[in-house]
Amino acid sequence: MTKQDALWDIEREVRTVVHRVRRMSIENAQTIDPQLSAPAFSVLFFIFDNGTVRAQDVVEAFGVDKATVSRQIAQLEELGLVSRSIDPHDGRAQSVSLTDVGQERVDTLAKQRRSDFIERLSDWSAEDLEQLAEFLARYNASLEP
């Protein structure tokens, strides 16, 4: 196999992963709340991963405009999954954090996802897992601007 062939194979596999992640995001969003959109689900998990955030943090992380993030946060707030408060470091900004209900639902889903992930990779050796983690980290670093 040539380097070019390998690159095409990798590109195809990454595309497949992206499609599957999108599909899973839709399914997982429905698990959290039947009315939750996939984009708002992504914001919800960003807040879960990062703790209390400002809307600007979400804008920067996702590369979307403030109005889009505002709509997603509004949906999360309407569903009782997040709450907004005045940012203690900048009174002009708002902080967003998970509510108790949001934390409980995300914790439940995160545990299930982790369990599914462990099961899918159960027949991989520790060395294979370590190598995959290293390669993914290296690839992710190459995507940074």
Side-chain angles (χ1 to χ4, degrees), residues 77-141:
E77 190 174 31
E78 183 179 303
L79 295 173
L81 302 171
V82 302
S83 62
R84 299 183 212 211
S85 60
I86 301 299
D87 187 323
H89 305 294
D90 180 356
R92 299 167 296 165
Q94 291 186 339
S95 295
V96 182
S97 58
L98 296 179
T99 61
D100 290 342
V101 169
Q103 184 71 49
E104 179 183 324
R105 289 186 188 174
V106 172
D107 282 341
T108 300
L109 179 59
K111 286 176 187 171
Q112 181 60 52
R113 286 172 58 171
R114 189 166 292 119
S115 175
D116 292 346
F117 194 71
I118 290 168
E119 184 178 325
R120 285 185 183 108
L121 298 174
S122 65
D123 62 343
W124 288 44
S125 71
E127 294 80 20
D128 286 347
L129 293 170
E130 183 178 344
Q131 191 172 30
L132 176 62
E134 289 173 8
F135 287 156
L136 286 172
R138 186 173 164 191
Y139 179 69
N140 280 327

Side-chain angles (χ1 to χ4, degrees), residues 22-111:
R22 283 185 183 147
R23 187 189 70 228
M24 289 170 55
S25 290
I26 293 167
E27 293 167 2
N28 288 327
Q30 300 302 298
T31 299
I32 296 286
D33 189 288
Q35 297 177 0
L36 184 61
S37 69
F41 171 80
S42 295
V43 172
L44 182 67
F45 257 81
F46 178 80
I47 298 166
F48 172 73
D49 289 338
N50 294 282
T52 300
V53 299
R54 295 174 303 124
Q56 186 60 36
D57 299 329
V58 180
V59 167
E60 292 169 7
F62 287 80
V64 295
D65 62 80
K66 192 171 184 173
T68 298
V69 169
S70 182
R71 283 191 303 275
Q72 292 165 349
I73 291 173
Q75 182 186 34
L76 294 169
E77 190 174 31
E78 183 179 303
L79 295 173
L81 302 171
V82 302
S83 62
R84 299 183 212 211
S85 60
I86 301 299
D87 187 323
H89 305 294
D90 180 356
R92 299 167 296 165
Q94 291 186 339
S95 295
V96 182
S97 58
L98 296 179
T99 61
D100 290 342
V101 169
Q103 184 71 49
E104 179 183 324
R105 289 186 188 174
V106 172
D107 282 341
T108 300
L109 179 59
K111 286 176 187 171

